[in-house]
Amino acid sequence: MTPRSFEASYEPLSPDPVRNWGRVAVLPWDAEIFGFPVAEYAIDDLEAVRASRAEVRQALKSWARSRRVELICCSVPGHEALGFELVPSLGCSLVDFRICAMAPRLQAERLPPVRTTLRPAEPGDAAGVERIAATAFRFGRYHTDAAFPRELADLRYRVWIRNVLESPGPGSRVFVLGPKGLVNGFFHVEIRDARLADLRLGAVDVALESGIAGFSLYAGTLQKLKEEGVEQVTASVSAGNTAVMNLYAALGFRFSRPEAVYHWHAPWASHLVRPHLPNPTDRRK
């Protein structure tokens, strides 16, 4: 897998440019991992969609059917009251509420000391890192979607970290918690423009006392980034993951840009958990 092979290509939901119904795209990276198409729907104008919601709902279903898409993700800003009423009327279910966490002045932060070893990942760490990636996560839109198979949600993170370890980009960093030969946790970070860092994926072994290990992982990762000259750090967090939210708060992060995340499930889906799908009588529509 190469990053450029998995660029999502968005197209208008309606071919009529007057109808600003938003844009849709199959997500190639996720589809490759899951073995079936999944997609994203971006709403550009909530009022335009509200004015034609029945037509939009049918257009979304028709677009998905023509591509055999089984799941579509859609998100709306947390302050958009209309979005909270509108998106469920399109047949979508709320699965997550995420928020942006930011440390805007990392170089000025006085980080707490970390006495646990945190080091760059080595080739021998791959199996341990993948094991944690496949077992430690409970949050994120695929994990909190009752209709989505848990094993596929876990597989997504395992493949994610495997790809980073095998084909890191120039700004990729994977830090491992634990001395050489032992993996108690990991953090994947991407550094952009030498000054900006995005905390992508981090977890500790579920067998550990996560409070101490988690704090060491997060604080240690920030210290490593500070030593590299990074000035600003961002992360996307599931608001339901209060343990991580508390870690970020304790480390001086600020929170902004909340958004609600929804999933649309195709009536014909064969890979999703069927008790949570629409009534089977809808499959003929």
Side-chain angles (χ1 to χ4, degrees):
M1 296 183 186
T2 59
R4 61 179 175 274
S5 302
F6 293 95
E7 290 293 328
S9 180
Y10 288 83
E11 59 183 295
L13 179 60
S14 171
D16 184 348
V18 176
R19 293 180 163 182
N20 188 13
W21 290 353
R23 297 160 291 120
V24 281
V26 171
L27 301 177
W29 193 79
D30 284 356
E32 175 77 12
I33 294 171
F34 300 147
F36 58 91
V38 296
E40 184 171 66
Y41 173 39
I43 300 178
D44 300 314
D45 188 335
L46 287 168
E47 289 290 352
V49 173
R50 179 170 68 170
S52 306
R53 72 175 74 196
E55 294 173 276
V56 171
R57 178 169 179 156
Q58 185 56 47
L60 196 65
K61 187 174 182 179
S62 297
W63 180 89
R65 185 183 292 278
S66 69
R67 293 157 179 79
R68 304 308 300 170
V69 166
E70 298 195 14
L71 180 150
I72 301 175
C73 176
C74 177
S75 61
V76 294
H79 66 275
E80 290 283 5
L82 174 57
F84 285 92
E85 183 272 332
L86 178 63
V87 176
S89 73
L90 300 178
C92 301
S93 301
L94 182 68
V95 294
D96 197 11
F97 204 92
R98 61 193 176 202
I99 194 165
C100 175
M102 176 183 292
R105 294 184 296 274
L106 182 61
Q107 292 299 317
E109 293 287 347
R110 296 186 62 182
L111 298 171
V114 176
R115 297 178 176 83
T116 306
T117 300
L118 189 76
R119 56 186 176 80
E122 301 176 0
D125 296 320
V129 170
E130 284 192 38
R131 174 183 57 80
I132 294 174
T135 57
F137 292 96
R138 295 186 297 121
F139 296 95
R141 64 185 181 90
Y142 288 120
H143 279 86
T144 52
D145 181 347
F148 198 83
R150 174 61 185 264
E151 62 272 17
L152 291 182
D154 290 338
L155 177 64
R156 182 174 182 266
Y157 286 135
R158 181 160 61 87
V159 173
W160 173 333
I161 199 64
R162 177 194 301 162
N163 287 347
V164 175
L165 290 171
E166 292 180 351
S167 304
S172 300
R173 306 286 187 275
V174 178
F175 300 112
V176 167
L177 185 69
K180 184 178 177 65
L182 180 64
V183 179
N184 288 327
F186 73 90
F187 223 130
H188 166 218
V189 181
E190 289 291 333
I191 298 176
R192 298 170 287 134
D193 302 325
R195 301 180 301 106
L196 308 175
D198 187 16
L199 304 181
R200 295 286 179 86
L201 193 66
V204 298
D205 193 324
V206 294
L208 298 176
E209 199 291 307
S210 59
I212 297 173
F215 186 82
S216 297
L217 176 65
Y218 279 70
T221 296
L222 292 179
Q223 185 60 53
K224 294 289 188 184
L225 295 176
K226 186 175 181 179
E227 292 169 1
E228 286 202 42
V230 169
E231 296 177 5
Q232 187 176 99
V233 180
T234 61
S236 178
V237 191
S238 172
N241 193 349
T242 55
V244 168
M245 293 281 287
N246 286 334
L247 277 175
Y248 280 131
L251 292 168
F253 278 68
R254 299 175 182 177
F255 303 101
S256 63
R257 302 203 302 274
E259 59 180 3
V261 184
Y262 296 83
H263 279 176
W264 177 90
H265 304 114
W268 55 82
S270 61
H271 297 88
L272 304 184
V273 180
R274 294 199 178 272
H276 302 282
L277 291 177
N279 190 299
T281 59
D282 292 339
R283 294 175 181 276
R284 295 188 296 272
K285 297 179 182 179

